[in-house]
Amino acid sequence: MKLHQLRALLAISENGSIQEASRLLGISQPALSKSIKELETELGVSLLVRSNRGITITGYGERLVRSARLAVEEVQRAQVEIDTLKGNIGGRVAIGVSPVTPSRQFADCVQAYRKRHPEVQLQIVELRPAKLLEGVREGQLDMALTSQPMPQELDGLHWQQLYTHVTTLAVRKGHPLSGARSLHQLLDQEWLLSDPLELTQARELFRAHQVEPPQRIIECDSVVLYVELAGSTDAVSFWSRRMFNLPVVSDALVPLEIAESTPRSGISLVSRPTELLTREARSLFDDLVEAFREAPL
């Protein structure tokens, strides 16, 4: 497999059109089609299906796209690192964060890093936990700070818990169950979660107390809309307790004082193996570990 073939496949996958992919890559459509055909011949499988409705990626193609994206990102990263060593440019570091990333420690760390590496292009992207891990796996992010529980299968990721914080259930002010004292009183209500149940600490809440999860769950990965829904509906929502330091949350919601303990939620630093990180990315990685060293676990 050649790099230009992988880039061709990625461009078609991302744009759904050979015509648009050829325009973006600056090559002719016949040359682009030839690259894909050579790749299919080498692998012995069909990667694309052409029809009147356009281009469809086959199952084989989807699997190769994931690997191709990582390969292309690695080559680009290597080119940037070589240029940095030559003194041409300052490099680039991309870090993903979740909405509950502790802001003070992170902000202080970024400020110190920028003073030491003013030439580095630093990109900070806020995504839901599942998307953060996808970005790290595909090489679009160098690292991520995520609140997602550590999965059983790490798939080659380096996972280091930095910090934990208290969680709570909450309902809107004036909710009929704002005085609830038991988890069982809430199970017939609609629930609001920011991610699929299996990716949240709410799953641990039900498991720890041997309670069947509620049947009605709304998943909302928009932070702003999550706050609005929590404050304007009767749904029970799950929160990091530190979010109640924000007036937009504390003015609309009431934390529930139930008998069952809610699990502490962890903030973890996730990357691919640290030896694959560029010098600039490894420097930020080490800074974050040090910044959170004194945070309570």
Side-chain angles (χ1 to χ4, degrees), residues 112-158:
Y113 182 82
R114 295 302 295 153
K115 287 182 178 178
R116 292 202 327 276
H117 302 285
E119 73 287 355
V120 173
Q121 290 182 312
L122 184 61
Q123 181 184 17
I124 302 171
V125 183
E126 182 176 288
L127 296 168
R128 300 308 316 165
K131 292 295 184 181
L132 288 174
L133 297 189
E134 181 180 313
V136 173
R137 286 193 179 98
E138 295 185 351
Q140 297 165 332
L141 299 174
D142 293 289
M143 67 197 78
L145 284 169
T146 179
S147 57
Q148 181 174 331
M150 184 171 67
Q152 293 183 345
E153 299 294 333
L154 293 181
D155 295 331
L157 296 178
H158 178 84

Side-chain angles (χ1 to χ4, degrees), residues 243-255:
M243 297 298 287
F244 282 82
N245 294 329
L246 302 176
V248 68
V249 176
S250 59
D251 289 349
L253 301 172
V254 178

